[in-house]
Amino acid sequence: MAPTTNCSRKKQLNLPLFQRKLKRMCSSIHQSRRVVVTGLGVVSCLGTGMHFVWDQLLSGTSGITNIKGEAFEQIPSKVVGLVRHGNNPGEFNLTGLPTIDGRAVTQMTQYCLRAAEEALTMAKWKPVQDNDKERTGVCIGTGMIPLEEVVNAGELQRQFHYRKISPWFIPRILINMAAAHVSLAYGFKGPNHSVSTACTTGLHSIGDAFRFIRNGDADVIVAGGCESSVTPLAMAGFARMRALSTNFNATPQVSSRPFDKARDGFVMSEGAALLVLEELDHARQRNAHIYAEILGYGLSSDAKHITAPPEDGRGAQRCMEAALRDSHLKPEQIEHINCHATSTPLGDSVESRAIQSLFKNHSSNILVNSTKGATGHLLGAAGSIEAAFTVMSVYTGTVPATLNLQTPMTGCDLNYVLGSNITWNSKFNPRIALTNSFGFGGTNASLCISEYVV
């Protein structure tokens, strides 16, 4: 072995100092690129259009209904959240969307394109210059591919011939196709990114987009999730896992009841929700209206079980801790948490336990809610629609009540928002909230969202 020279020893001794300087420099870069929300688009069972849906949520409306059809007869759960189609206010239609080839687009992608159109219109960002398009990206994911597309194609191949398979079959089922079609529709040439992390997908997409902008990879990104999985096969699969609500088939509007003592499973729902994230100086230069600021993003893994979270809530707790650390915040600065709470017996209690463990005495001061009582569980789009609701809460100063929360579950003493909406009178300036998403496979995400203050 060659002797260590004075020069090499000096380099070794100075390495930690260099690493500290590099860390401070990277932190400075991150802090200089702040990320804000300038547009929101929503398609859900509560309606289509962010402001329409927000009004429905605040009015205590439920979007849950019964599922009908021979294909669903054997499935024990009869409650779902379906997007309403039509030409009336708040209904989904394709009017005004960019021209698309219907052979390559599934209903899920149609929902995504509608949400993108609304979010970009609200943000007033539809660039025509190549430089602007190159600095605009897309981060959109989905939790599940269209299962019936696969089943139908397989039956065609077995019964007939491979030539019966549509050449559009593969493009229709790929996870990244919703992101691809938004990119194609508007000519966005920046990052084109798609994740699929079960029910954490929507929030992971927004969090990843936040980091892309903070790291300088783009100035504007359309981010979120979409889902259209209320189908016989998907519902049968979840029903066999005993994950779906079955006790309220006769009264669907009260079937999704997060944190309630009578909760018995989640309600499958569909839709899309997208946020336009933008670097702050970029938004200021074009006088964009700013709805909120993204402060930080946290991730973790339970590494415990493929579907069940650990009962002590440590995975969720680490995730929220990571978001606070990334935001440079103290726990007592959080005054509202929009929870993942899907209305399952285990999941809701575990998340509540994680909040108590992390925030300790301050947990009783936090306004804790779940908007799934009104929307059901949008799977891959759940995290993004709840991020949109959290943006609206910090923007308007109103926290929606958790619909159908009548008798809070025992064992957790949190300040659940039940009965009526709460006006958020913050002790701090600005108002700051967390929103959580957790998914099968033990994957977790938390996003810290703040009221924007000049």
Side-chain angles (χ1 to χ4, degrees):
M1 179 179 294
T4 303
T5 64
N6 289 336
C7 181
S8 63
R9 277 199 299 268
K10 185 175 181 181
K11 287 182 179 179
Q12 290 172 359
L13 291 172
N14 285 341
L15 183 59
L17 176 61
F18 170 75
Q19 289 174 333
R20 290 196 297 272
K21 287 182 178 179
L22 181 62
K23 185 176 181 179
R24 286 196 297 269
M25 182 178 70
C26 290
S27 176
S28 176
I29 292 172
H30 289 170
Q31 290 176 5
S32 67
R33 286 186 64 85
R34 295 165 60 187
V35 181
V36 295
V37 180
T38 55
L40 306 100
V42 170
V43 175
S44 75
C45 63
L46 276 181
T48 295
M50 183 70 253
H51 293 297
F52 181 92
V53 171
W54 181 246
D55 289 343
Q56 293 289 99
L57 184 66
L58 294 185
S59 70
T61 301
S62 169
I64 309 303
T65 187
N66 285 125
I67 190 70
K68 299 177 181 179
E70 183 179 351
F72 295 93
E73 285 183 359
Q74 295 183 350
I75 299 170
S77 178
K78 307 296 184 184
V79 290
V80 294
L82 296 174
V83 172
R84 298 193 303 275
H85 294 236
N87 295 313
N88 296 317
E91 293 181 337
F92 170 82
N93 57 66
L94 299 177
T95 304
L97 292 183
T99 302
I100 52 178
D101 189 333
R103 296 173 298 175
V105 176
T106 61
Q107 181 171 262
M108 175 187 70
T109 299
Q110 291 177 348
Y111 291 163
C112 190
L113 287 166
R114 168 55 67 200
E117 174 65 19
E118 183 196 3
L120 291 164
T121 299
M122 185 183 292
K124 298 180 180 179
W125 184 250
K126 294 181 182 178
V128 295
Q129 300 296 324
D130 281 343
N131 182 60
D132 290 331
K133 290 181 178 180
E134 290 170 3
R135 297 294 297 168
T136 303
V138 179
C139 291
I140 300 171
T142 183
M144 297 172 62
I145 64 171
L147 298 179
E148 264 67 18
E149 295 266 348
V150 179
V151 171
N152 293 340
E155 289 179 350
L156 284 173
Q157 184 184 26
R158 284 192 297 270
Q159 295 181 22
F160 300 101
H161 190 270
Y162 96 95
R163 290 187 180 277
K164 291 289 185 178
I165 303 298
S166 167
W168 297 100
F169 167 59
I170 295 298
R172 285 172 67 88
I173 67 168
L174 291 179
I175 288 292
N176 71 317
M177 280 300 111
H181 280 290
V182 171
S183 178
L184 286 167
Y186 298 96
F188 297 153
K189 300 176 182 178
N192 189 327
H193 178 67
S194 188
V195 300
S196 183
T197 48
C199 303
T200 319
T201 296
L203 204 58
H204 274 154
S205 297
I206 296 171
D208 290 352
F210 159 70
R211 287 188 172 176
F212 290 155
I213 294 174
R214 192 172 65 176
N215 291 347
D217 297 313
D219 295 324
V220 183
I221 296 182
V222 185
C226 53
E227 196 76 68
S228 182
S229 296
V230 183
T231 63
L233 183 56
M235 284 197 68
F238 282 114
R240 288 291 291 157
M241 296 176 66
R242 298 183 179 179
L244 302 181
S245 173
T246 58
N247 291 343
F248 301 93
N249 287 338
T251 52
Q253 292 186 334
V254 301
S255 57
S256 183
R257 41 198 319 120
F259 303 120
D260 190 78
K261 193 173 182 180
R263 70 196 187 281
D264 73 318
F266 72 81
V267 175
M268 282 189 68
S269 193
E270 63 179 2
L274 301 179
L275 277 59
V276 175
L277 303 189
E278 188 167 351
E279 196 275 325
L280 176 59
D281 289 339
H282 187 275
R284 282 174 170 168
Q285 288 170 7
R286 63 184 194 85
N287 295 316
H289 186 80
I290 295 173
Y291 290 87
E293 181 172 1
I294 309 298
L295 298 184
Y297 172 43
L299 308 87
S300 74
S301 175
D302 293 336
K304 175 69 176 180
H305 189 272
I306 202 67
T307 58
E311 293 189 8
D312 61 5
R314 280 294 297 147
Q317 182 178 338
R318 287 195 306 273
C319 184
M320 291 186 283
E321 285 174 340
L324 291 176
R325 188 165 54 248
D326 193 45
S327 306
H328 304 287
L329 293 176
K330 297 178 180 178
E332 56 267 26
Q333 291 177 270
I334 301 299
E335 295 184 311
H336 167 44
I337 299 178
N338 183 305
C339 292
H340 179 70
T342 60
S343 188
T344 58
L346 179 59
D348 294 12
S349 60
V350 165
E351 186 171 8
S352 295
R353 196 170 295 123
I355 292 170
Q356 281 190 315
S357 297
L358 174 58
F359 293 95
K360 299 182 172 58
N361 292 337
H362 176 60
S363 62
S364 62
N365 301 321
I366 299 173
L367 300 174
V368 175
N369 79 340
S370 170
T371 45
K372 287 187 176 76
T375 67
H377 187 14
L378 278 73
L379 305 179
S384 53
I385 195 171
E386 287 149 22
F389 291 151
T390 307
V391 166
M392 293 301 292
S393 285
V394 300
Y395 178 68
T396 65
T398 301
V399 178
T402 301
L403 196 62
N404 303 322
L405 176 51
Q406 298 174 352
T407 305
M409 60 190 185
T410 58
C412 291
D413 184 22
L414 295 177
N415 186 12
Y416 297 117
V417 181
L418 70 161
S420 59
N421 308 321
I422 290 181
T423 299
W424 183 352
N425 295 316
S426 176
K427 295 180 181 179
F428 299 97
N429 186 24
R431 293 183 288 264
I432 304 175
L434 283 178
T435 182
N436 294 331
S437 284
F438 314 126
F440 283 176
T443 181
N444 309 310
S446 292
L447 198 68
C448 187
I449 300 174
S450 168
E451 175 190 10
Y452 173 68
V453 177
V454 179

